[in-house]
Amino acid sequence: MAVIAVLLERNPEVGFTQALDVQSIFVKALSYFKESTGSKASNEEELRGEFYQTPADGRNGTHSFIAKAVCSVLLDNAVTNTDREECSIM
């Protein structure tokens, strides 16, 4: 939830049009983690264990995988531009 809060705080023009499915975000984050680290976990429980033991910050930290998953969900279907001003070129 903290990752989502930071993304929304840094991008106030973005908002959600529907409820977020946190479980699907986490599943995507695990998938990105497995792909990026080359994990040999044989089941989801082992993969979750590896994920939880990974430091939160840094290039391959858990926050980076969660942020990537949140961005994916935002871009897929649940985002709207909350900025109501018209675009203009001056």
Side-chain angles (χ1 to χ4, degrees), residues 26-60:
F26 189 71
V27 167
K28 279 186 183 224
L30 285 174
S31 173
Y32 293 141
F33 173 78
K34 185 172 185 174
E35 179 182 312
S36 179
T37 62
S39 170
K40 303 292 186 212
S42 61
N43 59 48
E44 188 173 330
E45 186 176 330
E46 285 181 18
L47 183 60
R48 285 177 186 243
E50 289 178 16
F51 186 82
Y52 293 144
Q53 292 175 3
T54 302
D57 296 330
R59 181 179 175 153
N60 284 320

Side-chain angles (χ1 to χ4, degrees), residues 1 3 6 9 11 14 23-24 26 37 41 48 55 58 62 80 85:
M1 298 311 288
V3 173
V6 169
E9 183 178 294
N11 301 284
V14 175
Q23 180 66 27
S24 69
F26 189 71
T37 62
R48 285 177 186 243
T62 57
T80 183
E85 294 183 22

Side-chain angles (χ1 to χ4, degrees), residues 3-13:
V3 173
I4 295 169
V6 169
L7 285 170
L8 292 175
E9 183 178 294
R10 291 184 181 177
N11 301 284
E13 72 279 4

